[in-house]
Amino acid sequence: MTSSELWTRATAERYDDEEAETSSAAALEPALAFLAELAGEGRALEFAIGTGRVGVPLRERGVPVVGIELSEHMAAVLRRKIQESLLPVSIGDMATTAVPGAFSLVYLVYNTITNLLTQDEQVECFRNAARHLEPGGRFVIELGVPPLRFLPPGQVAVPFDVSQRHLGFDTFDVVEQILVSHHFTLDGDDGRYRRNSSRHRYAWPAELDLMARIAGLQLERRVADWDGAPFTQDSAKHISVWRKPA
């Protein structure tokens, strides 16, 4: 067991509804095209595949996909969408769980590496990706840039969503590099909000590059989004690609 917090059955059951906007065909198309190009004729392994938001449509594009998922509840939701023979999923953590075979692509999207709450576990995640990659294969991570520039002295919280149905903000422990993501979601039509929170360990791009070097991977590309916009000091997130030497 890693330090990752487990997704409950209730959270898994409502996950797809709450992520409907990011799961639409239009929203996913740039990510799917990016990943499919890197996979080429090979197989792809998704760490923390969840309910299959990305893995299922990538498989439908013809890329053989295998998944690793810590939460059995999330994997159960995925299994309603596609059968095991078409998209196998192993229950376990992304830092140590091994699956058979080699892959041309290992990917980890939607900030999920931050679910590992220690630097050691994040390093092991890179090592696990490297173990599964064939020579010349790539490891891809999608991750937000820590928004610490929005923290004036004495402030510990940064809002990331203020909408009619959802209020979200992060609080930061800058010593331990831990953020807590707080969510207040309108639950039903009676005006009540459901509150939940989750802990994450944030990391800077340079720190991830060092983790990659420890795992024997080399940075190949870093862009600001799935469309390939240049990554700059003002980018809110990055898509990073590391390559295993041939």
Side-chain angles (χ1 to χ4, degrees):
M1 174 66 71
T2 73
S3 60
S4 298
E5 297 177 350
L6 275 170
W7 292 79
T8 65
R9 183 188 302 275
T11 303
E13 290 295 335
R14 60 176 176 257
Y15 182 83
D16 284 347
D17 287 339
E18 293 182 347
E19 295 296 333
E21 184 176 346
T22 64
S23 302
S24 68
L28 284 176
E29 175 55 31
L32 297 176
F34 191 106
L35 295 171
E37 180 179 1
L38 288 181
E41 299 299 318
R43 300 193 304 156
L45 171 61
E46 181 171 356
F47 285 174
I49 194 170
T51 65
R53 186 183 69 92
V54 174
V56 171
L58 186 61
R59 178 65 181 85
E60 291 171 347
R61 289 176 80 105
V63 177
V65 176
V66 175
I68 293 173
E69 173 55 43
L70 184 61
S71 170
E72 295 186 27
H73 301 301
M74 295 288 276
V77 175
L78 178 151
R79 191 52 61 221
R80 300 172 197 160
K81 304 174 184 178
I82 189 169
Q83 60 190 24
E84 175 76 15
S85 61
L86 295 178
L87 202 166
V89 175
S90 295
I91 301 299
D93 69 84
M94 56 187 161
T96 63
T97 302
V99 298
F103 298 83
S104 60
L105 173 67
V106 178
Y107 65 95
L108 181 54
V109 298
Y110 215 37
N111 301 321
T112 313
I113 193 171
T114 66
N115 290 358
L116 297 170
L117 299 178
T118 70
Q119 186 184 69
D120 285 344
E121 288 174 343
Q122 291 178 352
V123 169
E124 288 306 312
C125 180
F126 272 82
R127 284 176 165 156
N128 199 28
R131 284 192 292 268
H132 284 93
L133 285 172
E134 61 189 26
R138 276 92 169 186
F139 182 35
V140 175
I141 284 182
E142 176 189 21
L143 183 60
V145 176
L148 299 189
R149 293 168 66 186
F150 293 100
L151 283 177
Q155 181 173 313
V156 297
V158 173
F160 59 85
D161 184 33
V162 180
S163 59
Q164 184 176 0
R165 300 193 64 84
H166 178 254
L167 303 174
F169 62 92
D170 293 329
T171 54
F172 292 84
D173 178 341
V174 297
V175 174
E176 298 296 332
Q177 285 185 218
I178 295 293
L179 71 84
V180 180
S181 186
H182 305 266
H183 302 266
F184 293 83
T185 307
L186 192 62
D187 196 3
D189 298 322
D190 58 2
R192 292 184 300 173
Y193 279 79
R194 181 181 69 254
R195 177 181 179 178
N196 67 287
S197 62
S198 57
R199 295 185 303 149
H200 306 268
R201 182 186 186 273
Y202 62 85
W204 301 95
E207 185 180 5
L208 298 179
D209 289 343
L210 184 55
M211 294 180 189
R213 290 179 61 186
I214 291 171
L217 305 176
Q218 301 170 347
L219 179 66
E220 181 177 76
R221 184 183 182 194
R222 175 168 290 129
V223 293
D225 56 33
W226 294 110
D227 290 314
F231 179 73
T232 71
Q233 64 179 1
D234 296 318
S235 298
K237 74 172 186 177
H238 60 98
I239 315 296
S240 295
V241 182
W242 296 274
R243 185 173 181 270
K244 185 175 182 176

